[in-house]
Amino acid sequence: MTRLKNGKLRRKDGAWDPLKRSAVDKQQAEVVVKTPQSDSPSYRLAYVDTDFLCREELRPVRLQLELLKTEMALTERGINSTVVMFGGARIPEPGGEAWAARNETQKRNLEQSSVYYDEARKFARLCTDYGAKSGHLEYVVVTGGGPGVMEAGNRGAMDAGGPSIGLNIVLPHEQAPNPYVTPELSFNFHYFAIRKMHFLMRAKAVVVFPGGFGTLDELFEALTLIQTKRMAPIPLILFGEKFWRSVVNFGFLADFGTIAPEDMNLLHFAETADDAWKIISDYYEH
C-alpha cells in the first residue's frame, strides 16, 4: 500500500479511519459490468438494497434508521432546543377555503377557526425572534410539516427569518410538506412512534391548537410522559380554552379520581400568541 503523507483519511469527527468508504463501494457497484449474476437482487449491496431493507425482518433496523437520520441532521445543525406546535391540518388561513368541510356547519366552524392560524403564525414569530439570540439554535419551531396550523408555524418562523423543522409522515392525505419548512430540516417518517420521539426529544414547550385525532394523540402522549415523569416538566399550552374544555372534561377526570388534582397544573391555556409566549417566558424567566 502506498504510504499516505497528507493525513486526509479522517472522519468528520476527526478520527483517523484507514478503511474504505461505503459510499465508494456503492459508486463502484453501480458501474459494474452487467451480467445475469450482477443483475441479480442477491448481488446488491445490502445497505443500498431497498427491497431487502423493506422486509418484515428488517423492521428493527428501519426503526433505528428513522431515529438516527433526523437526530444526526439536527445534531449537525447544532439545534439544542425546540418549541413544538401541534394542531389541525384542516384549519385554513384567514380568507382561505375550508377544503376539508363536509357540510355547512363544518365549513363555518373551520373558517371561524382561522384565527388560530394567525395566532400560530404570530407565536412562531415570537419563538423565532427569541431564538435569533442564540443563532437559531434554541427555541426552533417544529411542526408536523403539513397544512393548517402546522403550515402557520413554519410560515411564522420564515417570517422572522429563521429556520423551522417539519416532521412529516406518509399518509393517504395531507402528507406533502408545506412550502415554509426549511428544506434541509424537512423529514419524512413511516413510524409514528419514532416521529413522536423526535417531537419531544428537544422540546422546551409544547403548544397545542385545536385539531382532530392526530392532535389529541400528540397532546396525550406528551401529557402522559410529563405526568409519569418520563420527561421533564415543560410548559404544555392549549390554545382556545373553550374548545379544549368542550372536547375533554379535564376537571371531571380529577373529580372522579382517575387523575390527581395536581395533574390539572400540567395544563396551561392561552388565547393569543402573546399569552402563550408569556407562559414560556415566565417559566424559564427569560
Side-chain angles (χ1 to χ4, degrees):
M1 177 181 287
T2 303
R3 181 177 296 178
L4 298 172
K5 298 180 180 180
N6 55 18
K8 289 184 177 179
L9 292 180
R10 294 187 181 274
R11 302 190 313 233
K12 289 183 179 180
D13 61 4
W16 178 257
D17 185 5
L19 300 178
K20 191 176 183 181
R21 301 286 192 272
S22 296
V24 173
D25 271 356
K26 175 180 177 293
Q27 292 171 351
Q28 290 181 342
E30 290 171 351
V31 297
V32 69
V33 175
K34 299 297 182 182
T35 68
Q37 291 75 25
S38 65
D39 277 343
S40 171
S42 64
Y43 192 75
R44 298 173 193 156
L45 289 168
Y47 55 87
V48 296
D49 186 345
T50 54
D51 291 333
F52 171 67
L53 289 175
C54 286
R55 288 183 54 153
E56 182 178 353
E57 298 91 336
L58 272 290
R59 180 175 292 142
V61 175
R62 294 195 300 274
L63 286 161
Q64 184 180 29
L65 290 173
E66 286 210 340
L67 183 65
L68 278 172
K69 181 177 180 180
T70 303
E71 173 61 21
M72 290 170 65
L74 297 182
T75 298
E76 289 170 1
R77 181 72 178 239
I79 293 175
N80 296 319
S81 69
T82 58
V83 175
V84 182
M85 296 179 63
F86 294 135
R90 306 182 185 199
I91 293 176
E93 67 176 302
E97 180 186 359
W99 55 269
R102 300 295 181 89
N103 54 52
E104 285 303 312
T105 299
Q106 288 191 352
K107 182 176 185 295
R108 182 176 62 254
N109 288 336
L110 289 171
E111 288 178 354
Q112 289 175 349
S113 295
S114 64
V115 63
Y116 294 118
Y117 185 105
D118 259 354
E119 292 303 324
R121 188 174 175 182
K122 292 174 186 175
F123 176 74
R125 285 202 298 266
L126 292 173
C127 295
T128 306
D129 283 339
Y130 186 84
K133 298 178 181 179
S134 64
H136 297 298
L137 302 181
E138 307 283 352
Y139 291 84
V140 179
V141 168
V142 55
T143 79
V149 167
M150 296 174 280
E151 176 186 288
N154 297 118
R155 189 174 182 179
M158 179 178 282
D159 291 341
S164 68
I165 302 165
L167 304 181
N168 217 246
I169 191 161
V170 179
L171 296 173
H173 307 288
E174 305 161 3
Q175 69 184 58
N178 70 66
Y180 304 104
V181 179
T182 301
E184 60 270 25
L185 298 177
S186 181
F187 304 98
N188 200 16
F189 291 85
H190 171 74
Y191 295 106
F192 269 103
I194 302 300
R195 180 175 179 253
K196 288 178 181 178
M197 288 182 67
H198 281 299
F199 272 126
L200 299 178
M201 284 169 63
R202 287 172 168 78
K204 292 200 81 170
V206 173
V207 180
V208 190
F209 291 80
F213 287 158
T215 303
L216 288 166
D217 177 48
E218 291 157 344
L219 164 62
F220 283 106
E221 181 82 25
L223 194 55
T224 301
L225 288 173
I226 296 171
Q227 181 207 38
T228 58
K229 297 181 171 51
R230 297 301 308 219
M231 67 179 289
I234 60 174
L236 200 161
I237 305 166
L238 303 183
F239 255 84
E241 185 170 1
K242 181 179 178 182
F243 173 88
W244 285 110
R245 291 200 183 276
S246 298
V247 173
V248 185
N249 192 336
F250 297 104
F252 175 79
L253 295 176
D255 292 341
F256 194 84
T258 50
I259 64 172
E262 58 268 24
D263 288 337
M264 294 291 292
N265 298 328
L266 301 178
L267 297 169
H268 303 270
F269 292 94
E271 302 300 326
T272 68
D274 289 330
D275 291 341
W277 181 248
K278 186 176 188 305
I279 291 169
I280 296 171
S281 296
D282 290 348
Y283 189 88
Y284 292 109
E285 297 181 351
H286 289 157

